[in-house]
């Protein structure tokens, strides 16, 4: 399987990102006829390729190959544009099998359905689809790596290890080794994880130019392990090497978060300039602008002053808040966007109490390091000792070791 498929599975929560249920902000009236209000994506659903996919799907809705190709194209568009409507279209492409029982649905369709469900944060539904597929096709490597990822996201590391090992029996050993290394890094065995990943990066077959995407994925994983270990210089080196291969949405957002954590928010707008204005991108821009406004001053006379964000930064924050408000009106949507809304409440609005409530809601659904880090930061901002103890207990329960979180407790 390709590392691009892995990135779809793993990177859709941060990116973010992770932007199911996007809504539109209130309309903005341009000040003159020459003002560009928005640049529409060139790849949006009107391309010739996608029109062809829709036509083929209309002719043969139960053609497995056509349905999966259409679903994959829409999901990639959802990932690239940060627009969950396309994930809905992806699920719709598989609708011909919806009335059928899992036992009669093709395994590849189940795996694709699980991948879309994971993007939409329906982890229970994704896990059920994957287990149904694997019951019928135990050698399905994509199913195993997707299952390993979902279990990891939910803090079930031992079960994720089992899926990683099954992946090693079903597919290339490289992916199984990297899968286990990532889990080791989460548990605090940072040196072993780092060594395993660097060993994979040195493999002769990965030196080929055509293996850049795999190298990029491994380097990003190295960077994340180094962040867990509290080694920011090593993390930055790995991030920059990964981005030197190719810019992907996942890596750009991860590096943006790193820069903000290192008090280098001023570098974020240039990094995100070419990215689609997804919720995840707008969130980082809004946080970076707020950090710039409130950055410490070395001048005694300016120490107590706070500058105002520029008009562009204010529009970004207002647009994002409007999207959050619109999505909150959808039944059952609150938990799906709780991570991003917690970050917005904490880092843009300065509302520690609200951030803490949202962060608590979020960790009921997903338990990646960033989820517990947001909870710990909110607990510290609220000066809530009970919440700090809650973070400690949760880390102990799932076995996570993260130097960034430990520094806050």
């Amino acid at each position: 399987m390709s590392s691009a498929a892995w990135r779809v599975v793993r990177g859709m929560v941060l990116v973010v990102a992770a932007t199911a249920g996007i809504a539109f902000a209130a309309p903005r009236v341009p000040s003159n006829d020459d003002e560009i209000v928005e640049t529409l994506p060139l790849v949006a659903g009107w391309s010739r390729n996608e029109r062809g996919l829709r036509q083929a799907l209309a002719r043969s809705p139960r053609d497995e190959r056509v349905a999966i190709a259409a679903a994959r194209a829409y999901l990639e568009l959802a990932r690239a544009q940060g627009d969950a409507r396309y994930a809905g279209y992806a699920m719709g492409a598989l609708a011909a099998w919806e009335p059928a029982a899992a036992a009669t649905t093709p395994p590849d369709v189940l795996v694709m359905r699980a991948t879309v469900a994971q993007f939409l944060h329906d982890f229970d539904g994704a896990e059920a689809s994957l287990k149904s597929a694997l019951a019928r096709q135990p050698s399905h490597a994509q199913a195993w790596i997707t299952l390993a990822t979902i279990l990891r996201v939910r803090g079930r590391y031992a079960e994720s290890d089992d899926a990683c090992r099954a992946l090693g029996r079903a597919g290339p050993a490289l992916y199984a080794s990297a899968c286990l290394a990532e889990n080791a890094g989460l548990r605090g065995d940072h040196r072993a994880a780092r060594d395993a990943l660097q060993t994979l990066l040195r493999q002769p077959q990965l030196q080929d130019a055509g293996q850049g995407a795999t190298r990029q994925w491994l380097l990003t994983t190295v960077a994340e392990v180094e962040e867990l270990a509290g080694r920011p210089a090593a993390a930055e080196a790995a991030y920059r090497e990964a981005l030197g291969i190719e810019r992907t949405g996942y890596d750009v957002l991860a590096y943006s978060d790193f820069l903000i954590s290192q008090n280098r928010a001023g570098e974020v707008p240039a990094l995100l300039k070419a990215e689609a204005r997804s919720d995840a991108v707008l969130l980082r821009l809004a946080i970076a602008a707020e950090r710039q406004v409130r950055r410490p001053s070395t001048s005694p006379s300016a120490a107590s002053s706070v500058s105002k964000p520029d008009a562009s930064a204010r529009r970004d924050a207002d647009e994002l808040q409007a999207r959050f408000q619109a999505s909150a009106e959808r039944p059952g949507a609150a938990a799906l966007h709780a991570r991003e809304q917690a970050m917005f409440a904490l880092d843009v609005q300065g509302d520690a109490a609200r951030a803490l409530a949202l962060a608590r809601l979020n960790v009921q659904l997903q338990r990646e390091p960033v989820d517990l880090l947001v909870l710990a930061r909110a607990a510290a901002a609220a000066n809530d000792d009970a919440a700090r103890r809650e973070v400690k207990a949760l880390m102990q329960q799932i076995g996570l070791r993260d130097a960034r979180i430990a520094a806050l407790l």
Side-chain angles (χ1 to χ4, degrees):
M1 65 167 290
S2 69
S3 65
W6 168 270
R7 187 62 69 199
V8 167
V9 172
R10 191 183 79 162
M12 291 310 156
V13 168
L14 294 158
V15 181
V16 162
T19 52
I22 283 180
F24 292 101
R28 176 166 62 90
V29 179
S31 58
N32 61 71
D33 290 344
D34 294 326
E35 182 179 350
I36 296 175
V37 177
E38 181 70 291
T39 301
L40 294 176
L42 295 177
V43 294
W46 300 277
S47 70
R48 179 180 303 176
N49 179 54
E50 288 201 319
R51 284 199 301 271
L53 281 173
R54 288 199 301 270
Q55 292 167 359
L57 191 61
R59 288 192 301 268
S60 307
R62 290 187 67 85
D63 185 316
E64 180 181 342
R65 179 186 60 81
V66 170
I68 290 174
R72 186 177 292 116
Y74 280 127
L75 186 60
E76 176 58 24
L77 196 57
R79 183 203 65 79
Q81 301 301 322
D83 191 335
R85 291 176 303 170
Y86 293 111
Y89 299 159
M91 198 65 84
L94 307 173
W97 289 274
E98 192 64 36
T104 59
T105 300
D108 285 349
V109 172
L110 289 170
V111 174
M112 190 69 233
R113 183 184 293 166
T115 305
V116 180
Q118 186 269 348
F119 177 78
L120 295 170
H121 292 188
D122 177 11
F123 299 120
D124 288 338
E127 184 176 341
S129 291
L130 291 168
K131 288 182 175 178
S132 294
L134 288 165
R136 295 167 53 201
Q137 191 175 336
S139 62
H140 203 301
Q142 176 68 60
W144 282 120
I145 198 168
T146 307
L147 182 59
T149 302
I150 290 171
L151 293 169
R152 179 186 302 122
V153 165
R154 308 198 81 176
R156 292 155 59 184
Y157 300 154
E159 293 174 75
S160 181
D161 282 345
D162 291 340
C164 293
R165 295 187 187 98
L167 170 65
R169 296 188 292 271
L174 181 149
Y175 293 101
S177 297
C179 185
L180 288 167
E182 187 166 0
N183 288 350
L186 291 167
R187 288 192 178 95
D189 200 348
H190 304 130
R191 176 174 293 183
R194 180 188 311 122
D195 290 348
L197 292 165
Q198 294 291 358
T199 297
L200 294 175
L201 283 162
R202 289 192 294 269
Q203 289 187 1
Q205 63 266 35
L206 289 191
Q207 311 316 308
D208 183 86
Q211 294 297 316
T214 301
R215 289 185 58 81
Q216 180 190 43
W217 158 55
L218 292 172
L219 284 163
T220 303
T221 306
V222 170
E224 292 169 340
V225 169
E226 298 294 17
E227 285 199 85
L228 292 169
R231 289 163 40 98
E236 174 156 28
Y239 274 131
R240 292 178 70 87
E241 188 175 352
L243 288 168
I245 297 172
E246 181 185 0
R247 287 172 57 99
T248 69
Y250 180 87
D251 294 334
V252 168
L253 288 171
Y255 188 46
S256 296
D257 287 342
F258 172 80
L259 290 173
I260 291 170
S261 75
Q262 297 300 306
N263 298 315
R264 293 162 58 188
E267 300 175 44
V268 170
L271 180 66
L272 297 178
K273 185 177 181 180
E275 300 299 310
R277 290 172 63 81
S278 66
D279 284 9
V281 168
L282 285 177
L283 177 61
R284 273 68 181 186
L285 289 172
I287 292 174
E290 189 67 23
R291 291 291 180 90
Q292 284 293 96
V293 167
R294 300 185 180 278
R295 65 185 182 277
S297 173
T298 57
S299 169
S301 62
S304 61
S305 66
V306 178
S307 61
K308 294 182 179 179
D310 61 29
S312 176
R314 177 66 64 188
R315 283 197 300 270
D316 290 340
D318 289 347
E319 181 178 351
L320 186 58
Q321 185 171 12
R323 293 185 185 189
F324 284 153
Q325 289 173 344
S327 66
E329 297 175 0
R330 302 180 183 183
L336 299 183
H337 319 292
R339 177 202 290 173
E340 289 73 27
Q341 292 195 48
M343 293 169 67
F344 186 75
L346 181 63
D347 294 318
V348 180
Q349 297 175 315
D351 189 340
R354 175 170 168 76
L356 183 56
L358 287 164
R360 279 176 163 145
L361 179 63
N362 177 56
V363 296
Q364 295 176 21
L365 181 67
Q366 52 188 0
R367 296 174 175 181
E368 291 189 277
V370 63
D371 300 305
L372 274 74
L373 179 58
V374 171
L375 180 60
R377 291 182 57 238
N383 195 25
D384 189 322
D385 288 336
R388 290 189 181 96
R389 290 192 295 272
E390 182 181 336
V391 178
K392 288 181 181 179
L394 189 52
M395 290 181 69
Q396 184 174 9
Q397 175 189 332
I398 67 176
L400 175 66
R401 299 291 181 271
D402 187 328
R404 301 166 300 178
I405 299 175
L408 294 167
L409 302 177

